[in-house]
Amino acid sequence: MKDILKAPFVEEMCKTTANMYRLGWDERNGGNISYLLDEKEVGEYLDLNLVKRVLPLGFDATTLAGKIFIVTGSGKYFKNVLDDPEDNLGIVRISADGQNAQLLWGYSGGGKCTSEFPAHLMSHMARLQVDPENRVVMHTHPTHTLAMNYVHELDDKKFSHTLWEMCTECIVIFPEGVGVLPWMLCGTNSIGKATADKMKDYRIVIWAMHGIYGAGKTMDETFGLIETVEKAAQIYMLTAHLPRINTIKDEEMVELAEFFGVNYRKDFLNL
Ligand code: 2HA
Ligand code: ZN
């Protein structure tokens, strides 16, 4: 067996959580990541027949039965993952009946999967329907995106349009726009269902006055999406109180989308 602490997926989780902590997005236990792994690859590091503990999911995840995820732990701090991955992360397999997560490694201090695991797994289910290569779901509390939630209308079209106006590359990077949920109680199956519903159309879902969910094929793609939204929100917050003299026009966004060949939400422009 190879050393699990040197597995690329463990190292990626460590580096990404450390990076996000340093960006100031994941204070205290804020944020969580789940990453769908390749069973063969995990088998090089762990005995897949050895289940350490069984953690109830509290909802039906049958469509993900047998799938293996590495997941940040409930109540754990992104700040600490790099120093102690085995306590702060867990590798779990969804049981055949879809009711439990079987712990294969991690949560060494007796921990369990993030409280947002229902929203993560429901988002994985929704994204895998749209893109069979989706592997990552990431939740975080990026500062300017949250700030923008307090001063901007919480509407998919209006919010996406404003973000697209803030940086030239936005419409190219998230041409489908972003989904926005109203404030809802977190950690519940109902916010999970609402998130997954938006994930049918968007890789980015904003939880108003709480944070953001991103989904993608790789850690880089997913982080890059969130980072781009956050950059646009930062420009918005730096300029929202000032007279706007210039802007990226809708005709210019069409030019961008056509030049880069992306399938954008035409109904989100005002042409
Ligand atoms: O896991 O961010 O939404 C901590 C959170 C809850
Ligand atoms: Zn959160």
Side-chain angles (χ1 to χ4, degrees):
M1 287 283 164
K2 296 196 215 166
D3 179 3
I4 183 81
L5 292 174
K6 298 215 169 71
F9 46 86
V10 172
E11 289 185 343
E12 250 185 312
M13 289 293 279
C14 290
K15 284 185 191 158
T16 306
T17 47
N19 182 30
M20 292 166 83
Y21 173 68
R22 285 286 160 218
L23 286 165
W25 298 354
D26 297 282
E27 71 290 340
R28 202 175 182 275
N29 63 321
N32 27 74
I33 304 177
S34 60
Y35 185 5
L36 175 59
L37 304 177
D38 178 61
E39 184 182 326
K40 266 211 200 86
E41 192 182 358
V42 182
E44 294 172 20
Y45 300 90
L46 298 175
D47 177 354
L48 299 180
N49 296 314
L50 208 86
V51 175
K52 298 196 164 189
R53 278 190 284 137
V54 173
L55 311 166
L57 289 175
F59 71 101
D60 180 26
T62 308
T63 56
L64 296 174
K67 298 254 189 286
I68 299 177
F69 295 88
I70 186 163
V71 192
T72 51
S74 176
K76 302 297 186 191
Y77 293 19
F78 274 23
K79 177 170 77 67
N80 299 334
V81 177
L82 186 60
D83 286 335
D84 193 355
E86 191 161 0
D87 182 45
N88 292 284
L89 303 174
I91 295 178
V92 296
R93 178 176 52 212
I94 307 305
S95 62
D97 64 1
Q99 299 302 309
N100 298 300
Q102 304 167 330
L103 182 65
L104 302 174
W105 174 84
Y107 305 146
S108 57
K112 54 182 188 186
C113 301
T114 168
S115 58
E116 302 297 358
F117 206 34
H120 277 253
L121 288 186
M122 290 180 203
S123 295
H124 278 285
M125 293 180 202
R127 287 313 302 170
L128 285 168
Q129 295 268 320
V130 184
D131 175 5
E133 287 178 37
N134 193 88
R135 292 163 76 90
V136 178
V137 171
M138 194 180 273
H139 167 62
T140 178
H141 303 162
T143 313
H144 300 92
T145 306
L146 258 88
M148 186 170 163
N149 290 173
Y150 290 85
V151 296
H152 194 284
E153 279 169 274
L154 301 171
D155 167 82
D156 291 4
K157 174 177 173 171
K158 288 179 183 159
F159 209 92
S160 299
H161 188 269
T162 300
L163 292 174
W164 285 349
E165 282 180 318
M166 293 299 120
C167 306
T168 294
E169 293 197 321
C170 279
I171 194 165
V172 180
I173 291 166
F174 48 97
E176 76 271 45
V178 301
V180 186
L181 288 180
W183 185 91
M184 289 178 76
L185 184 62
C186 55
T188 60
N189 288 351
S190 45
I191 199 168
K193 284 188 195 123
T195 309
D197 202 43
K198 291 274 187 203
M199 283 274 180
K200 290 176 192 158
D201 297 319
Y202 306 103
R203 289 167 299 159
I204 289 281
V205 177
I206 291 167
W207 283 8
M209 291 152 295
H210 179 142
I212 194 166
Y213 263 75
K217 295 180 184 35
T218 63
M219 204 70 92
D220 264 359
E221 180 196 338
T222 315
F223 178 79
L225 267 172
I226 295 177
E227 166 178 59
T228 307
V229 168
E230 171 62 0
K231 177 66 171 276
Q234 182 172 13
I235 308 289
Y236 180 78
M237 294 310 296
L238 285 169
T239 55
H241 57 296
L242 301 170
R244 177 96 68 94
I245 298 172
N246 302 304
T247 197
I248 302 170
K249 298 183 191 75
D250 283 22
E251 293 79 5
E252 292 167 334
M253 293 189 212
V254 173
E255 237 183 288
L256 274 163
E258 285 177 357
F259 183 75
F260 288 98
V262 294
N263 185 17
Y264 65 105
R265 279 290 292 255
K266 295 175 183 61
D267 57 324
F268 281 8
L269 294 180
N270 302 306
L271 288 168

